[in-house]
Amino acid sequence: MTETTQTQMTPPGGAKPRSPEFRLTADALRGLRQELFHDAFAYRPLPRMRVDGPITRRLPGGVREYAAWTPHAVTALCGLFAMSVASTTNNGSGTLSLVPGFLALLPVLLTLVRPVGAFWFSLAATPFAAVFVDSWGDWPWPPGAFAAHLVVLTVVALRTRPRTAAWMWVLTALYGMAAETVFGAGHYATNSVTLLFLSALSLLVVTVLHIRRAAEREVTAQLSVTEHERSKRTLLEERTTIARELHDVVAHHMSVVAIQAEAAPYRVENPPPELEQAFVTIRENAVAALTELRRVLGVVRAEDYEAPDAPQPTLADLEALLANVRDAGLSVEKVVTGAVRELPQGVELSAYRIVQEALSNALRHAPGATARVEIGYVLGGIGLRIVNGPAPATQLVQLVKSTHGAGHGITGMRERVTMLDGEMTTGETADGGYEVTVFLPVPGAEESG
């Protein structure tokens, strides 16, 4: 036999626990008080409409400035329409004949500055407007009050949350039921059902618009986050590619250091023990550095990475690259100025990759165009200028991707230039082409070496 115990949370002070129905009702009344009574007449002016949409963007400057007030003008026109409806159905004379029109116009205009207060004003003005109406069929909503309240419900729903609009609809229904039950004697027709039906349709459309706007904002925020993450991933991938390429350059230098340190004692006759020990230490450090480099390469290596069979390219291999680009359909010429000399391998590799990526971009975006590669050897480094013209309108050339793997265009070039403390500018040319200008500095000690 199994015995089960059930514990129930008791509120502080020993009070009896509230039922779920009581808590649900209390939450509902609390929401009603928060939405329609708390700061009901707070000043909340209607903001101007944005004019950067697909239609308003095409308007002239002066017209676009006035177009920002379109919501205010539409609301005012709706108020004037409700005023005209009220003025044609009243039985007053003289100054009193204007009262129904103003009772219909004022709540609509009040939605521009105090939306929730406009709802209460419209609800309170309805029985006063009924005094000036001689129709026994429009009860409890006179024609002017009917139109004004429908406009008020719609405008306030657009300016507030859907839950607020739902509470306004419920209170409108309660007022209609009370007016028909208590003061409906003598009236052969009522229009509360008609108002509730039309306002429900209006609030449904407004709710759908609210949901769509919220979804658009969420999608826009998600796209911004995705674009930011994609940019970070692109940057990290390009830096990883550069690190893998520079590994070969650094490993070559460390291998030369190790070999020279091992061979150096044999070039000196009867070297002192201290010198031999120094060369042994240099070689051991070089071998240890090579081991660590291999470990670093293992960390940054992609799953599909394959070690290159040939050494990393330099500017001496540029002719083969230009030949491949010409075969792909891009007419390109090379111009070299200054005294050609050997540069550090890291600079040579980066210069080669920059030219390669710039030509690949030209093949993608300007197929069939002409390009020019200018290389200038100057005292403080090397300058590169890759410029292409616009693509011919009738030229149909298959777009060719970059030939060195996962390059990312301008991002990859800029990372290489930043790594070498260089400078880079890009932009369109006057004839519609594109130009990439790069300067890679080379320290004087490295040049002389």
Side-chain angles (χ1 to χ4, degrees):
M1 185 174 183
T2 306
E3 182 181 357
T4 59
T5 15
Q6 182 177 5
T7 59
Q8 188 172 12
M9 299 298 295
T10 304
K16 294 182 178 180
R18 303 295 186 181
S19 64
E21 292 80 5
F22 179 86
R23 290 197 299 269
L24 184 63
T25 304
D27 292 340
L29 293 177
R30 192 180 303 111
L32 172 63
R33 183 174 65 254
Q34 181 68 26
E35 299 293 335
L36 293 181
F37 290 94
H38 183 67
D39 292 335
F41 287 88
Y43 182 68
R44 302 169 187 170
L46 178 65
R48 290 189 295 177
M49 184 180 68
R50 297 177 58 181
V51 291
D52 55 353
I55 298 178
T56 54
R57 193 185 299 117
R58 298 189 178 96
L59 298 175
V63 178
R64 192 185 307 121
E65 183 179 355
Y66 289 107
W69 299 96
T70 300
H72 305 74
V74 172
T75 303
L77 288 176
C78 292
L80 293 176
F81 172 75
M83 182 180 181
S84 65
V85 171
S87 299
T88 57
T89 57
N90 70 84
N91 58 358
S93 59
T95 306
L96 294 178
S97 62
L98 302 177
V99 174
F102 282 109
L103 289 178
L105 175 64
L106 291 179
V108 177
L109 295 181
L110 192 60
T111 58
L112 298 176
V113 290
R114 306 181 191 276
V116 179
F119 165 76
W120 290 114
F121 185 84
S122 176
L123 203 62
T126 300
F128 291 98
V131 177
F132 300 90
V133 178
D134 55 2
S135 174
W136 291 93
D138 298 323
W139 180 261
W141 303 94
F146 186 99
H149 199 69
L150 185 60
V151 173
V152 168
L153 285 176
T154 304
V155 175
V156 177
L158 284 170
R159 298 201 55 197
T160 57
R161 296 185 294 180
R163 188 172 62 180
T164 305
W167 278 119
M168 291 189 302
W169 189 88
V170 170
L171 291 178
T172 301
L174 292 177
Y175 169 79
M177 293 172 56
E180 291 176 4
T181 303
V182 179
F183 302 103
H187 296 275
Y188 58 85
T190 61
N191 54 3
S192 290
V193 176
T194 305
L195 176 63
L196 292 176
F197 176 75
L198 294 178
S199 60
L201 289 180
S202 174
L203 297 182
L204 179 61
V205 173
V206 172
T207 303
V208 171
L209 290 177
H210 277 298
I211 295 175
R212 181 178 178 182
R213 289 175 182 172
E216 289 178 350
R217 287 193 296 267
E218 185 176 354
V219 169
T220 302
Q222 189 63 35
L223 287 177
S224 300
V225 173
T226 303
E227 183 64 26
H228 180 67
E229 293 297 330
R230 185 184 297 114
S231 300
K232 289 176 60 178
R233 186 175 66 250
T234 299
L235 187 62
L236 292 176
E237 288 177 356
E238 193 60 31
R239 288 179 177 177
T240 302
T241 301
I242 296 173
R244 288 198 302 261
E245 292 178 350
L246 290 179
H247 166 270
D248 297 336
V249 176
V250 178
H252 170 72
H253 287 302
M254 296 306 299
S255 299
V256 172
V257 170
I259 293 173
Q260 290 181 349
E262 185 176 4
Y266 300 100
R267 297 184 179 183
V268 179
E269 186 177 356
N270 298 322
E274 295 83 0
L275 183 60
E276 290 183 353
Q277 184 60 38
F279 282 122
V280 169
T281 303
I282 292 174
R283 183 182 183 280
E284 290 176 353
N285 289 334
V287 172
L290 279 173
T291 304
E292 296 300 328
L293 276 175
R294 294 190 185 98
R295 291 176 182 173
V296 172
L297 181 62
V299 172
V300 300
R301 181 185 292 121
E303 295 181 358
D304 56 348
Y305 173 73
E306 296 180 2
D309 298 331
Q312 294 293 349
T314 62
L315 290 176
D317 304 313
L318 203 56
E319 286 297 335
L321 172 65
L322 298 182
N324 291 334
V325 172
R326 293 188 186 101
D327 293 339
L330 186 68
S331 177
V332 58
E333 62 173 335
K334 183 181 75 169
V335 177
V336 180
T337 58
V340 179
R341 63 188 182 279
E342 185 177 355
L343 300 175
Q345 286 186 326
V347 177
E348 293 259 355
L349 173 61
S350 296
Y352 179 90
R353 292 305 190 197
I354 290 171
V355 174
Q356 185 181 41
E357 190 60 52
L359 293 177
S360 297
N361 288 342
L363 281 172
R364 292 189 192 100
H365 304 293
T370 59
R372 179 183 176 91
V373 178
E374 300 177 3
I375 304 174
Y377 290 87
V378 295
L379 183 61
I382 183 173
L384 303 174
R385 181 175 181 267
I386 305 96
V387 58
N388 64 270
T394 58
Q395 185 76 21
L396 297 177
V397 178
Q398 183 179 4
L399 299 184
V400 179
K401 294 185 178 181
S402 175
T403 58
H404 78 281
H408 295 98
I410 301 298
T411 302
M413 289 188 284
R414 200 173 298 280
E415 279 301 307
R416 294 181 186 275
V417 173
T418 303
M419 177 187 64
L420 297 173
D421 295 329
E423 298 178 0
M424 173 178 168
T425 57
T426 60
E428 295 185 0
T429 58
D431 60 353
Y434 202 78
E435 177 182 2
V436 177
T437 305
V438 173
F439 175 75
L440 302 178
V442 177
E446 294 186 11
E447 284 189 351
S448 61

